[in-house]
Amino acid sequence: FGKVRGADFNQHVLKYNDEMSSTNKLEHLQRLKDQVDRVQHQSAPYLADLLHQLRLDKVDEQPLELSATVLEQPKITFHHNNNSPSSSTTPSDGTWNLNNVKFSKGALLSSFAVLDFTGRESNSTEELIKSMRTHGITTPQGFDIHESLRSTTVCVDSDEPGEMYRKFLLAMEKAQEYFLNGPATGTGNMNNLKYGSFKTQVSNEGKTFLGLVRPIGDSKNGDFSVILQRDIEGATHSIKHPKTGQPVEARVHALVDNEPVDLFQFRYSPENRTYERQDHLSEKWRSANSFKHKYTFETRNGDDSEYFGEDEVDILRTNFVVKKHQIECPSIIFVRLRNDSSEVYNFIKLLSNNIVGVQTQCYLENKFKIGQYASNVALKANAKLSSMTTNARAWNISLGSLENSWLQETPTMIMGLTLARAPGHDQKTVVAGSVCLDEKSYPGIQMAQSVRVQTSSGFVERSNIEFITRSLGTQYILHNEERFPSRILVYRNGTSEGSFNELLQSEVLGIRQAFYDLRIQFKGDDIGKCAHCNEMGCFLCTPIITYIVAVSQHNIRIVPAEKTFSRKNKIMNVPSGTCVDHTITDYTDGAGIAIYKATDKDNNRNSNSLVFEPATYDGFDFLLTSQGGLKGTSKPIFYRTIFNENFVRKPETDSHKVTPLTKQKLQQITYAMTFQYGTATKAVRMVPVVKYSVRLANIFSSYLPYLIGTDNRGPSDFRLKEYTQDDRESIFGYEKLSNENDECIKTEMMTYFSPFNTELNNNDSSKIRIPFHPHMMA
């Protein structure tokens, strides 16, 4: 039923697919086929040709009628709903909206800049930031938004790549000058605080923290003092004790109404033109007009606190000092576009993802409207600004009767993989992967990505599957306080049924090897080498794997057996959650393989204790229509489970409380995740880990010519180089990293969003780190 490409009547085909949908389409196809049968073949070749072009010549003579299951929709839970005491909503055929709601957990927009391609005055960015604030995103603390926009906006007069690059860097410089050093004018803002005037993220020794930052002196040497939250680091300064004269650790507070107030519960409100303090219990903000710019230092002796005025102490040193590059500023660059030019958009994403490493949020000026459009842009920004310090997410999902999800039994990592051919570069393939970072809540919204380039192939080369898995696995482990996953679900896109055996032999083994390396890296040699697998990774020393191929290119459509009509008298598709798992799912999936391998024994371990009791199974493949069909005929995704160790094997940790991954559990997990695409208020067709991977691969492919030099208008110091390895495939990496010994660093395409630190220095010696914002594809 695919749409014709390159035909003169393409628009007619699109119209046909929209109007002749669902059950109507089957009836119309049957009439066409009957007409062809009645007419002599030699007199009606055009009809046969038309059916072939529309891909309708392969329709079955009689559609197969079978039963389907409609899976339970999860409830969508927000932080607050202004129109109802309830904070949750039940989707309508897989869709919901953001009207009058606050996000479940809003992100922190600590600073920003604006690139303006329109060349005309507009208040759209200001209205966008107001919409973000309405939905619960924390906007820059202590800064007037109107003044901030005026000080950080850069107009771009040319679409020439070199000019866009220069203006991008200029916008960053303006943001850093304004937010880090404070506004040049104004007397009642946070910049007038002596300690901790700018709230943002800082990084040190591979970790990311939320801090209050202020330049030391004139900041020409690039040093900034940082106050961390009390539960991270209690002391802010070393002082000489006024009574004993001994050096002691102390924490600075603002003095309000003769009471010490922690600076994280203190702010300046430009709208109200007053300082405010936060109530400990209600978390509401109230006026602190009595603040006279006085401070007090708290010292502790066990549970006892003692306070001294600023004029009573001698400050010996500031405990936490960082350089400018360790401070997140700006958090994001808003890009006002005058049209939907793909060339401009792709180059901006090249700068954002690969060259500069700052999140960007583009929007079309001529489409911007207060309301739904602004909310949708805010939704995307919230996902991009999510970090380990905020754990921002627009909503949570509740599974009702299925609340005790299989995913909550033990740490379970979910990753997606895809391949994409680079347009115009037949010899190169882009490999992209995504991972769900959030372990404690139902996964899907918080993501991290990784991408590689390889020579053209239908498989992910062994070196690349290992590198991508190491990158995504490292991000998962760091995000979850260095907890190692016990199980892995892999969703793979972009392959055919004839390639399934090769996937098992190449990609699954590569994932095992990568996690064996991560096991040694995070747990150390003291855990001992695994004798079972000769240091290559196996089910005894690496997470248990389930491998699912998500097939989107197929000719199967599922429609209601009888016509049903919507309120607008349109013929409806099957409802969101329609699942078929029998009759047409004829591939012999991987349970047999997993069961066969589960009989392996190891002399040093009782592997039989890690095997579930024998259970019957009828396969794991299923067709799922997760999206609610608005136009045309809904196309399901065919999920082909080619390997399912989690059905027969228990992870060594938590083995007493885990259960097998049955077909029914896998269906519900997959369906629930389609509600977690953090930039759309609907259940999407494909699971987010794959959908984001496809998006990354396509965007990366679009600007690949700048990186390989076939389009020489891009930054010349960012060029990809092909490396030849001994007895292994060629790999691609940046020329500027060619001397790096660590192959993961050498071949990392998006260095600023990577967990591998490519900018090692005296202040940050850790070779792995938590990126400020790992999710770039929202």
Side-chain angles (χ1 to χ4, degrees):
F1 290 7
K3 297 179 175 70
V4 175
R5 297 172 183 170
D8 293 337
F9 50 88
N10 192 41
Q11 292 302 317
H12 294 287
V13 175
L14 294 175
K15 185 178 180 181
Y16 168 82
N17 278 280
D18 288 339
E19 294 179 351
M20 291 293 177
S21 62
S22 190
T23 314
N24 246 8
K25 194 168 204 174
L26 289 179
E27 295 176 352
H28 188 245
L29 293 180
Q30 193 60 53
R31 289 197 300 270
L32 284 176
K33 292 177 70 69
D34 291 344
Q35 187 174 356
V36 172
D37 293 338
R38 287 196 302 270
V39 180
Q40 293 291 334
H41 180 72
Q42 61 272 21
S43 63
Y46 71 92
L47 279 177
D49 183 60
L50 175 61
L51 289 174
H52 178 71
Q53 289 195 60
L54 292 173
R55 299 183 185 177
L56 305 180
D57 54 335
K58 297 182 179 180
V59 178
D60 293 336
E61 291 291 338
Q62 183 63 38
L64 182 64
E65 188 169 332
L66 41 76
S67 62
T69 302
V70 178
L71 302 177
E72 179 184 351
Q73 289 189 116
K75 285 188 176 181
I76 309 299
T77 305
F78 298 101
H79 177 267
H80 180 66
N81 188 314
N82 293 332
N83 293 334
S84 170
S86 172
S87 60
S88 64
T89 183
T90 300
S92 173
D93 198 21
T95 64
W96 63 98
N97 62 60
L98 299 175
N99 294 339
N100 302 312
V101 299
K102 283 188 177 181
F103 296 150
S104 177
K105 195 163 187 182
L108 170 64
L109 173 65
S110 63
S111 56
F112 56 81
V114 181
L115 279 177
D116 182 12
F117 283 82
T118 67
R120 64 176 185 266
E121 291 188 7
S122 170
N123 66 344
S124 60
T125 309
E126 185 172 356
E127 293 297 334
L128 172 59
I129 293 174
K130 290 179 180 179
S131 177
M132 294 171 69
R133 185 183 297 164
T134 300
H135 288 297
I137 296 175
T138 302
T139 53
Q141 179 174 287
F143 296 91
D144 179 78
I145 297 301
H146 187 72
E147 180 187 354
S148 302
L149 289 168
R150 187 173 64 249
S151 302
T152 61
T153 297
V154 174
C155 295
V156 186
D157 303 320
S158 170
D159 293 350
E160 193 273 322
E163 179 67 8
M164 287 191 283
Y165 186 25
R166 287 188 290 272
K167 292 298 179 69
F168 199 103
L169 296 178
L170 178 60
M172 288 187 61
E173 291 174 8
K174 282 179 169 287
Q176 291 170 354
E177 176 64 26
Y178 180 82
F179 288 102
L180 286 179
N181 296 325
T185 60
T187 57
N189 51 52
M190 291 295 286
N191 190 48
N192 290 317
L193 292 181
K194 191 172 182 179
Y195 305 96
S197 58
F198 173 47
K199 186 177 183 180
T200 188
Q201 291 190 111
V202 295
S203 65
N204 191 53
E205 293 297 327
K207 296 183 179 180
T208 301
F209 309 98
L210 194 62
L212 300 174
V213 179
R214 186 173 177 83
I216 298 176
D218 59 6
S219 74
K220 289 183 179 179
N221 61 356
D223 287 340
F224 293 80
S225 66
V226 181
I227 295 175
L228 300 178
Q229 292 171 301
R230 181 185 283 276
D231 59 343
I232 301 296
E233 180 59 55
T236 60
H237 297 80
S238 292
I239 65 171
K240 183 185 290 187
H241 196 284
K243 296 179 180 179
T244 66
Q246 297 298 313
V248 293
E249 298 297 289
R251 185 173 184 86
V252 66
H253 297 262
L255 197 61
V256 182
D257 296 330
N258 292 320
E259 293 182 15
V261 178
D262 192 280
L263 291 178
F264 273 91
Q265 278 73 53
F266 189 72
R267 71 181 186 184
Y268 177 76
S269 171
E271 293 83 1
N272 300 326
R273 298 185 179 182
T274 182
Y275 289 101
E276 296 177 337
R277 61 182 296 183
Q278 189 178 32
D279 184 81
H280 288 287
L281 297 178
S282 67
E283 297 186 352
K284 292 183 178 180
W285 293 87
R286 55 188 175 88
S287 174
N289 277 328
S290 60
F291 176 62
K292 303 299 182 184
H293 292 270
K294 291 185 178 181
Y295 302 87
T296 183
F297 285 81
E298 175 194 14
T299 62
R300 284 197 166 189
N301 184 7
D303 293 333
D304 298 326
S305 295
E306 194 172 8
Y307 293 90
F308 300 97
E310 187 179 20
D311 55 353
E312 297 180 74
V313 303
D314 291 329
I315 298 177
L316 302 178
R317 67 179 173 87
T318 301
N319 285 2
F320 200 58
V321 177
V322 298
K323 298 290 185 182
K324 182 186 288 188
H325 74 271
Q326 294 173 266
I327 303 170
E328 181 203 33
C329 186
S331 303
I332 200 168
I333 295 180
F334 296 108
V335 184
R336 292 174 53 200
L337 298 172
R338 61 177 173 270
N339 55 46
D340 55 358
S341 166
S342 59
E343 184 173 353
V344 171
Y345 179 83
N346 292 337
F347 191 78
I348 289 296
K349 290 304 176 182
L350 166 67
L351 297 177
S352 173
N353 298 343
N354 296 75
I355 310 300
V356 181
V358 175
Q359 293 278 22
T360 54
Q361 182 56 62
C362 302
Y363 68 91
L364 288 170
E365 178 65 28
N366 60 0
K367 290 187 177 180
F368 184 86
K369 291 182 180 179
I370 301 173
Q372 189 62 44
Y373 187 93
S375 292
N376 289 341
V377 178
L379 179 64
K380 295 181 179 182
N382 192 69
K384 289 177 181 176
L385 292 171
S386 180
S387 65
M388 186 176 178
T389 61
T390 64
N391 286 312
R393 53 194 306 110
W395 56 77
N396 288 298
I397 62 173
S398 173
L399 295 177
S401 62
L402 301 171
E403 192 62 56
N404 294 322
S405 169
W406 182 84
L407 296 174
Q408 310 304 317
E409 296 175 350
T410 189
T412 302
M413 179 176 133
I414 303 174
M415 61 184 286
L417 293 167
T418 194
L419 294 173
R421 291 284 178 87
H425 302 278
D426 293 337
Q427 300 306 311
K428 292 181 176 61
T429 299
V430 175
V431 185
S434 299
V435 64
C436 298
L437 296 176
D438 36 352
E439 174 190 278
K440 294 180 180 179
S441 55
Y442 211 93
I445 286 185
Q446 292 178 302
M447 293 277 182
Q449 284 89 28
S450 183
V451 67
R452 293 290 190 277
V453 177
Q454 65 181 35
T455 53
S456 184
S457 172
F459 308 100
V460 184
E461 293 174 350
R462 180 64 179 265
S463 59
N464 284 328
I465 192 67
E466 290 181 21
F467 292 160
I468 285 179
T469 303
R470 276 186 62 188
S471 176
L472 299 179
T474 299
Q475 296 247 40
Y476 175 91
I477 294 167
L478 291 177
H479 189 87
N480 292 288
E481 301 174 349
E482 299 197 4
R483 280 190 297 277
F484 210 74
S486 302
R487 306 185 291 206
I488 303 176
L489 296 186
V490 182
Y491 289 87
R492 171 71 151 85
N493 175 251
T495 189
S496 60
E497 183 172 315
S499 307
F500 289 173
N501 288 332
E502 287 82 354
L503 291 182
L504 290 174
Q505 293 299 318
S506 175
E507 297 182 12
V508 173
L509 293 180
I511 292 171
R512 286 210 194 281
Q513 180 67 66
F515 268 96
Y516 185 87
D517 296 340
L518 287 173
R519 173 179 177 264
I520 299 299
Q521 176 182 341
F522 281 92
K523 297 186 177 182
D525 293 329
D526 56 331
I527 63 173
K529 296 179 180 179
C530 178
H532 187 83
C533 62
N534 195 27
E535 301 180 41
M536 297 176 63
C538 66
F539 52 77
L540 291 174
C541 62
T542 61
I544 309 300
I545 297 174
T546 294
Y547 206 91
I548 305 146
V549 176
V551 182
S552 58
Q553 299 302 316
H554 57 77
N555 294 320
I556 302 172
R557 300 296 182 274
I558 300 172
V559 300
E562 297 180 359
K563 285 187 180 182
T564 54
F565 294 87
S566 68
R567 292 180 181 178
K568 296 182 179 180
N569 205 34
K570 290 185 177 181
I571 293 180
M572 295 179 62
N573 282 286
V574 293
S576 170
T578 299
C579 182
V580 174
D581 60 6
H582 59 92
T583 309
I584 54 177
T585 55
D586 56 358
Y587 179 75
T588 304
D589 44 49
I593 299 174
I595 292 171
Y596 171 76
K597 290 195 172 185
T599 61
D600 291 346
K601 293 189 173 88
D602 182 79
N603 294 329
N604 298 323
R605 298 189 187 187
N606 184 10
S607 60
N608 286 333
S609 66
L610 302 178
V611 178
F612 291 113
E613 291 296 323
T616 60
Y617 73 98
D618 54 356
F620 299 96
D621 299 347
F622 58 94
L623 287 122
L624 176 62
T625 305
S626 54
Q627 75 279 21
L630 300 178
K631 295 176 68 176
T633 305
S634 295
K635 186 176 181 181
I637 297 295
F638 203 167
Y639 291 98
R640 318 292 297 271
T641 308
I642 64 172
F643 191 66
N644 190 8
E645 278 186 328
N646 283 294
F647 180 68
V648 293
R649 287 207 162 273
K650 302 176 184 179
E652 190 169 20
T653 56
D654 300 323
S655 61
H656 63 288
K657 63 180 182 181
V658 297
T659 58
L661 179 58
T662 63
K663 177 169 63 175
Q664 290 72 26
K665 291 177 184 177
L666 182 58
Q667 291 169 2
Q668 192 65 54
I669 288 168
T670 303
Y671 181 49
M673 280 197 294
T674 65
F675 288 78
Q676 293 285 67
Y677 189 65
T679 57
T681 55
K682 62 181 179 180
V684 292
R685 182 170 171 244
M686 183 81 76
V687 285
V689 282
V690 173
K691 192 172 179 67
Y692 281 126
S693 299
V694 171
R695 178 170 166 76
L696 172 59
N698 290 337
I699 290 178
F700 193 92
S701 298
S702 68
Y703 58 65
L704 185 61
Y706 295 111
L707 294 175
I708 62 178
T710 54
D711 189 329
N712 58 14
R713 296 177 298 165
S716 59
D717 53 339
F718 285 83
R719 289 283 188 268
L720 292 183
K721 176 182 179 180
E722 186 173 1
Y723 302 90
T724 302
Q725 306 177 102
D726 296 336
D727 301 325
R728 300 186 71 180
E729 312 93 344
S730 296
I731 58 175
F732 292 83
Y734 288 125
E735 290 181 1
K736 66 175 185 175
L737 299 176
S738 58
N739 295 324
E740 176 59 54
N741 293 325
D742 191 321
E743 287 185 354
C744 279
I745 294 179
K746 181 187 293 187
T747 61
E748 182 58 68
M749 300 287 107
M750 297 175 296
T751 56
Y752 295 95
F753 300 95
S754 163
F756 306 119
N757 198 345
T758 61
E759 297 182 335
L760 299 177
N761 53 68
N762 293 331
N763 285 35
D764 196 355
S765 58
S766 175
K767 293 203 72 174
I768 59 174
R769 49 110 189 260
I770 300 172
F772 284 135
H773 302 295
H775 189 2
M776 71 200 78
M777 282 298 108

